[in-house]
Amino acid sequence: MARDTTDETPISSVEELADYLASGCKPKDDWRIGTEHEKFPFFVEDNSPVPYDGERSIRALLEGMKETLGWTPIMDEGRIIGLYEPTGMGAISLEPGGQFELSGAPLETIHQTCRESNAHLAQLRQIADPLGIKFLGLGASPKWTLAETPRMPKSRYDIMRNYMPKVGKDGLDMMHRTSTIQVNLDFASEADMRKKMQVSYRLQPIATALFANSPFTEGKPNGLLSWRADIWRDTDNDRAGVLPFVFSDDFGFMDYTQWVLDVPMYFVLREGKYRDCTHVTFRQFMDGALEGEIPDARPNLGDWTNHLSTVFPEVRLKKFMEMRGADGGPWRKICALPALWVGLTYDEEALEAADALTRDWTFEDVVAARDAVPREGLTARIRNRTVREIGYDVLRIARAGLQSRARPNSEGFDETHFLAPLEEIVARGTTTAEQMVTEYHSVWGGSIEPVFMEYAY
């Protein structure tokens, strides 16, 4: 998330919180696609991480992008930590370990998404190349230890760093050493949201396998295909994972609201400062638990919006839905993720077909698949079928959905070709992670260094 929200509209009831989520409902003609992607900056001369400060630094990248784009800087205690386009058409932010993120504009087609990401990377190269910096498109940093990884000076991250070790063993690794691609999608109504959320939760393990791209840790194979996805299994299970109530036939905005209310908070923003609130839930906050501890101790809409951004389930609900199951990856994968989910959810027949394919999968089935996929990838099973077999069906449905959308580019090509990297994976039967491990043991000669050349932007 690029920046935290300030909205002092007072909250007087739980119903208002659910209504905030429901206010995201919009007609199909207004549905948009918002794609986010992260990447690891590194110095070309020795493949070392880039610090925040210095002449060749993260700060220098942000300052250069500010001059190039004319976007407004996001400041935290006098330090630039991101940029945003003032009319809401995109933002740049930093993840805790320096992962450089573009939160893309809400766009109508995947053609536009690809042009946006291509333009962003080209602009970034103009600033980064003279500094000897490139960017790595993987799901986790393959070489650096946690101690070697820089820490970005962002106040909310300081609160998270203190809290994470109390609730799971992998939280600091998640923050500093993982990277993702996400896509944000719209819904028309509560019923439409329900079906899309349920289908997306069931199919998230399939996406994780298709995008598995993090098989190395600290310079050697880690025995996993998606270390990033495995890390999320023990980061903070109060706020992450697969949510059982989403699978209910009457799941709605209030159910999600009630869950988020009982998740421990990270912070509230008061007088320009982040106040540590990890000792209370949002429900306790509403009941007056912070009276006397912070200025203006009654919750407002900005507090709720910010709190929604601090829960991390496999699919996150705000005024839109965030698909969170994929590792970071190369440019083609940035375009492939929105193609997959738009194809599955933005066409009614495709959504119905995806629902029919997965309708009898239980919560337990999905959790088992989520636990197996980081290690087993396409060979993991859901009931009596492999993820690879299911992947063929899923991609066939997504392709049909994109064909039905019929959004051609200027040369007459529709959006289906963006699925090609995923179709190659299921046809080959091996993930990108497996291909990398094979190269590590053969042409790379047991060295991790070639990954920085072959998977760099």
Side-chain angles (χ1 to χ4, degrees):
M1 184 175 181
R3 55 182 174 144
D4 295 306
T5 299
T6 301
D7 183 339
E8 297 182 358
T9 304
I11 296 170
S12 59
S13 70
V14 172
E15 286 73 21
E16 291 176 5
L17 305 181
D19 288 345
Y20 171 82
L21 297 177
S23 69
C25 296
K26 58 186 65 172
K28 186 173 183 177
D29 286 348
D30 292 339
W31 292 354
R32 295 293 182 266
I33 307 162
T35 305
E36 305 177 20
H37 55 94
E38 303 165 0
K39 51 271 183 196
F40 296 99
F42 67 92
F43 287 122
V44 174
E45 69 264 22
D46 59 2
N47 300 331
S48 63
V50 178
Y52 175 79
D53 274 317
E55 292 185 8
R56 302 165 64 211
S57 63
I58 300 289
R59 178 181 51 76
L61 291 173
L62 287 172
E63 294 284 1
M65 290 296 279
K66 178 172 72 75
E67 295 302 317
T68 297
L69 299 173
W71 289 7
T72 302
I74 303 168
M75 307 298 292
D76 186 333
E77 297 186 357
R79 297 167 297 215
I80 185 169
I81 57 168
L83 305 166
Y84 68 93
E85 202 285 324
T87 64
M89 298 301 287
I92 292 170
S93 59
L94 302 178
E95 292 300 301
Q99 305 94 316
F100 213 85
E101 177 178 5
L102 175 70
S103 297
L107 302 171
E108 293 186 42
T109 73
I110 301 160
H111 306 296
Q112 293 171 337
T113 291
C114 274
R115 286 195 293 270
E116 174 191 61
S117 61
N118 201 25
H120 166 73
L121 294 172
Q123 293 158 350
L124 197 50
R125 281 192 292 268
Q126 290 180 6
I127 309 302
D129 283 354
L131 301 176
I133 295 172
K134 287 192 179 298
F135 299 85
L136 188 62
L138 294 182
S141 64
K143 179 180 177 181
W144 315 317
T145 65
L146 186 58
E148 290 169 336
T149 303
R151 298 193 170 194
M152 297 300 103
K154 198 169 179 178
S155 297
R156 69 180 280 170
Y157 294 158
D158 290 337
I159 293 171
M160 292 173 66
R161 288 182 185 109
N162 290 331
Y163 182 71
M164 282 293 187
K166 302 174 184 177
V167 292
K169 68 179 179 63
D170 294 330
L172 295 180
D173 282 323
M174 179 280 293
M175 292 176 65
H176 299 91
R177 297 205 284 177
T178 67
S179 173
T180 187
I181 306 167
Q182 296 178 189
V183 62
N184 305 326
L185 300 173
D186 290 315
F187 44 80
S189 64
E190 185 168 59
D192 186 48
M193 178 278 296
R194 178 186 306 119
K195 180 174 282 191
K196 287 175 176 174
M197 286 281 283
Q198 290 173 344
V199 166
S200 300
Y201 264 93
R202 296 181 204 130
L203 289 179
Q204 214 62 223
I206 311 301
T208 298
L210 292 172
F211 285 81
N213 194 29
S214 47
F216 303 116
T217 306
E218 297 179 14
K220 60 186 178 183
N222 53 34
L224 297 161
L225 304 178
S226 177
W227 184 48
R228 183 205 62 82
D230 194 65
I231 279 173
W232 275 110
R233 297 173 60 226
D234 196 4
T235 287
D236 180 351
N237 289 329
D238 284 336
R239 68 181 73 238
V242 182
L243 305 180
F245 57 85
V246 172
F247 292 71
S248 171
D249 290 341
D250 59 356
F251 165 65
F253 294 117
M254 181 56 77
D255 298 290
Y256 193 86
T257 298
Q258 294 287 357
W259 172 68
V260 177
L261 277 168
D262 291 321
V263 173
M265 298 174 65
Y266 281 159
F267 64 87
V268 295
L269 191 56
R270 292 291 185 273
E271 298 176 345
K273 294 187 178 297
Y274 287 80
R275 315 282 176 152
D276 188 330
C277 297
T278 53
H279 58 296
V280 301
T281 66
F282 203 92
R283 193 185 302 276
Q284 292 168 331
F285 181 25
M286 290 186 69
D287 290 340
L290 295 179
E291 294 285 352
E293 289 191 34
I294 63 170
D296 189 13
R298 302 303 298 175
N300 58 50
L301 193 57
D303 297 325
W304 178 240
T305 304
N306 291 336
H307 185 54
L308 286 168
S309 77
T310 68
V311 298
F312 308 116
E314 293 290 284
V315 184
R316 181 159 62 184
L317 182 61
K318 298 180 180 176
K319 292 168 73 172
F320 47 86
M321 302 175 304
E322 296 181 354
M323 307 301 167
R324 298 176 50 81
D327 283 5
W331 178 81
R332 293 178 76 206
K333 293 286 188 71
I334 297 172
C335 306
L337 187 75
L340 174 66
W341 290 114
V342 168
L344 292 170
T345 64
Y346 270 19
D347 174 75
E348 292 177 9
E349 290 187 10
L351 180 60
E352 183 58 35
D355 184 47
L357 176 69
T358 62
R359 193 174 295 147
D360 62 345
W361 297 1
T362 65
F363 164 74
E364 290 77 14
D365 291 333
V366 174
V367 170
R370 174 181 178 263
D371 290 346
V373 157
R375 185 173 299 276
E376 299 175 20
L378 298 174
T379 66
R381 302 185 79 87
I382 300 178
R383 297 198 168 182
N384 62 347
R385 304 184 73 203
T386 66
V387 166
R388 183 188 183 191
E389 291 169 334
I390 297 165
Y392 277 114
D393 290 340
V394 169
L395 290 170
R396 174 182 50 79
I397 294 168
R399 175 170 281 274
L402 294 176
Q403 287 173 334
S404 180
R405 264 171 59 84
R407 300 295 182 93
N409 62 14
S410 59
E411 297 175 336
F413 294 102
D414 66 17
E415 297 165 313
T416 57
H417 68 278
F418 294 116
L419 293 173
L422 309 182
E423 293 169 334
E424 291 167 10
I425 286 169
V426 294
R428 189 175 64 222
T430 54
T431 62
T432 303
E434 289 165 289
Q435 296 294 108
M436 283 194 288
V437 172
T438 296
E439 292 174 323
Y440 172 87
H441 287 298
S442 57
V443 294
W444 295 358
S447 170
I448 198 65
E449 305 304 329
V451 78
F452 288 91
M453 178 174 62
E454 295 199 20
Y455 289 86
Y457 294 122

